Amino acid sequence: MSLKTERIVLRVDLASGEITRESLSEDFYRLYPGGKALAGYYLLNEMPSGVDAFDPQNMLILANGMMTGSPVSTTTRYVAAARSPLTNAVGSSEAGGYWGPELKKAGYEAVIITGRAVAPVYLWIHDDVVEIRSAEHLWGLPTGDVQDILQEELEDSRIRVLQTGLAGENLVRYAGLTNDLRHFNGRNGLGAVMGSKNLRAVAVRGSGRFQDGAHDPEGLRKLARKLAQQVRDNPLSWDLQHRGTPGIVEPLNDSGMLTTRNFRQGAFEDVDDIKWEAYEEQLLVGRRTCYACAVRCKREVQVDGENSKYGGPEYETLAVFSSDCGISDLQVVAKANELCNAYMLDSISTGGTIAFAMECFENGLIGLADTDGIDLRFGNGDALLAMVEKIARREGFGDLLAEGSKRAAEKIGQGAMAYAQQVKGQEIAMHEPRGKYNVGMGY
């Protein structure tokens, strides 16, 4: 199959099982050229007003950008969008990796998913073949197991799998999505939306090429080679290649902008234990990249003495589980990252909500009777790991924290809202607004 030159949107109604396709006109695509623009159009024009995030009428939209799947470096991203269970507003989250380009190879700009299946299912897209298949054998499994099973079941190790996990199945409000276990639509709880639809995964394999639909394929190839070389030659890329995003921990700490103990401080006294040199010595075993990207900023790490199939923590995850929770043990941080990726929790909201609970605990708003006997203080790595497990499974105190810090603060009361670092219900990212003023304005 050669890649379609027309723009096709795939629609899947999980309630009825109906699968349809529609072609986008050139005029439409010029106004809404993929990604957030395309997703926003459908959400604002077709989703009924006031629909709850977990209502079957909520639309989960997976939309490629205009250049996703091209050989041009750094153009690989796609967006997931829906009404957010955290903010109750339109929520979107971008990811890189290989799933978006594979969807383009299969001939689709976007997938619009509505309804709720009566039992767990996954979606299988292989060029013109689109099927809704049972996922009852996948329900409750770690994301790594699900990817292995689907690639074996569909007899192709190059199938790209986008999925939620146990957290999405349990409707944790900040559950996310992952493709290839290392690339994440983390924010806004879109994995919980997928879980609410009884949809565990979307597996894709395509046989087309982006170049086949290009006006000037040879010109595109020349441009891709030129831009890839420019990316490799740019000094900003060198540090990303070598250190990745974990390399910014020490500079942020030195400038007073490393989020520490639930944003109570801007510098971490044990920064030497978590900065890049420690990461490189204790965790790093390799580097990976996204489709057609010359940067190669993805870190591969060891956890508990074994190479992790879930990749290594990026800056946000590293900061939220270390300095923001007062923890200096990189093995604990890497394990927390692995658990989040296996259960498909957004690491920012997970760590941010736990840091909120730690501050509540230290200020006497909650105690051991509330936390299932867990000493939830800053610096307690065992408590952190135990709470990640409880949140994903919605067990005990984890059931409350699975609602996010805003809703948890409302339940705890006693002024707990002052410790919830969130905007509209979503925990803020690990960028200190008292130093990054433009970020503060955004919050």
Side-chain angles (χ1 to χ4, degrees):
M1 171 188 170
S2 62
L3 195 66
K4 298 179 177 70
T5 56
E6 58 182 330
R7 310 283 187 175
I8 303 295
V9 169
L10 182 65
R11 287 182 179 266
V12 179
D13 185 335
L14 295 173
S16 67
E18 183 179 13
I19 299 171
T20 58
R21 297 165 177 81
E22 65 182 53
S23 180
L24 304 178
S25 70
E26 183 175 339
D27 288 343
F28 176 92
Y29 199 75
R30 284 178 179 272
L31 283 173
Y32 308 101
K36 291 181 180 178
L38 189 149
Y41 172 86
Y42 283 102
L43 286 171
L44 294 172
N45 280 278
E46 295 189 7
M47 190 167 66
S49 175
V51 166
D52 183 78
F54 294 144
D55 190 293
Q57 293 183 89
N58 191 8
M59 303 170 70
L60 177 60
I61 301 178
L62 310 169
N64 275 331
M66 182 187 298
M67 294 294 288
T68 304
S70 80
V72 178
S73 182
T74 72
T75 64
T76 186
R77 301 180 78 78
Y78 68 95
V79 70
R83 183 183 291 278
S84 166
L86 273 179
T87 68
N88 204 38
V90 170
S92 66
S93 181
E94 293 182 15
Y98 295 83
W99 187 89
E102 200 69 28
L103 182 68
K104 181 68 178 181
K105 290 178 181 179
Y108 303 104
E109 298 298 316
V111 184
I112 299 176
I113 302 166
T114 55
R116 182 179 189 272
V118 296
V121 298
Y122 73 92
L123 187 62
W124 167 226
I125 302 170
H126 185 194
D127 294 333
D128 293 330
V129 176
V130 181
E131 302 175 54
I132 301 171
R133 295 189 171 196
S134 172
E136 295 196 57
H137 59 307
L138 307 175
W139 213 248
L141 296 180
T143 55
D145 291 356
V146 169
Q147 177 166 291
D148 291 344
I149 289 170
L150 286 179
Q151 289 177 341
E152 182 177 354
E153 184 175 303
L154 299 171
E155 301 180 337
D156 190 340
S157 63
R158 298 188 66 183
I159 285 169
R160 304 301 179 179
V161 179
L162 174 68
Q163 59 173 310
T164 188
L166 182 65
E169 296 172 5
N170 288 332
L171 306 187
V172 176
R173 288 187 182 270
Y174 42 88
L177 306 171
T178 181
N179 77 83
D180 282 359
L181 309 180
R182 293 169 173 82
H183 312 280
F184 307 98
N185 305 94
R187 310 246 64 199
N188 274 299
L190 302 174
V193 175
M194 181 179 277
S196 75
K197 296 183 175 301
N198 263 340
L199 178 65
R200 178 55 200 255
V202 181
V204 179
R205 188 75 165 99
S207 59
R209 296 189 310 161
F210 185 98
Q211 296 93 310
D212 295 339
H215 172 70
D216 181 2
E218 182 55 33
L220 179 64
R221 281 190 286 270
K222 289 180 179 178
L223 176 64
R225 288 194 292 269
K226 178 181 178 181
L227 292 179
Q229 191 60 52
Q230 288 180 346
V231 168
R232 286 191 289 268
D233 291 344
N234 191 309
L236 292 176
S237 297
W238 302 343
D239 204 45
L240 275 175
Q241 288 173 357
H242 175 53
R243 301 173 179 231
T245 58
I248 67 175
V249 167
E250 187 175 16
L252 287 177
N253 189 78
D254 291 346
S255 57
M257 292 189 290
L258 181 63
T259 56
T260 302
R261 294 183 177 84
N262 198 34
F263 283 79
R264 199 164 67 195
Q265 300 155 272
F268 188 39
E269 67 277 11
D270 293 326
V271 68
D272 286 347
D273 295 329
I274 63 170
K275 66 184 183 182
W276 169 249
E277 286 76 11
Y279 190 113
E280 184 176 37
E281 179 182 350
Q282 297 180 38
L283 299 180
L284 188 71
V285 295
R287 294 168 173 82
R288 289 200 185 197
T289 191
C290 295
Y291 181 88
C293 182
V295 178
R296 298 185 64 83
C297 71
K298 310 298 288 186
R299 308 298 93 177
E300 295 292 307
V301 301
Q302 278 193 344
V303 180
D304 296 332
E306 296 183 0
N307 289 4
S308 176
K309 67 196 304 183
Y310 298 101
E314 301 288 344
Y315 162 70
E316 301 275 9
T317 304
L318 177 59
V320 77
F321 287 135
S322 61
S323 58
D324 204 47
C325 287
I327 292 169
S328 58
D329 188 335
L330 277 178
Q331 279 296 321
V332 169
V333 173
K335 185 62 178 180
N337 174 73
E338 187 174 70
L339 290 174
C340 283
N341 298 349
Y343 298 142
M344 212 44 265
L345 288 161
D346 170 27
S347 60
I348 297 173
S349 279
T350 302
T353 300
I354 293 173
F356 151 80
M358 287 176 166
E359 189 154 17
C360 288
F361 190 94
E362 292 203 347
N363 283 280
L365 276 62
I366 55 176
L368 293 174
D370 304 295
T371 63
D372 310 319
I374 295 173
D375 187 24
L376 202 57
R377 298 180 185 276
F378 288 117
N380 190 337
D382 291 338
L384 169 70
L385 297 178
M387 205 51 66
V388 172
E389 292 271 4
K390 284 181 170 289
I391 289 170
R393 301 179 188 282
R394 277 191 174 268
E395 292 178 349
F397 189 58
D399 187 43
L400 177 61
L401 297 190
E403 293 292 297
S405 58
K406 178 178 184 290
R407 290 173 175 83
E410 292 170 344
K411 183 72 177 292
I412 293 169
Q414 309 174 75
M417 193 63 75
Y419 304 132
Q421 309 302 321
Q422 52 80 33
V423 175
K424 298 180 180 177
Q426 177 160 249
E427 290 65 35
I428 61 178
M430 297 297 104
H431 298 280
E432 176 56 78
R434 288 166 292 197
K436 300 181 180 181
Y437 305 128
N438 59 330
V439 172
M441 291 178 67
Y443 291 156

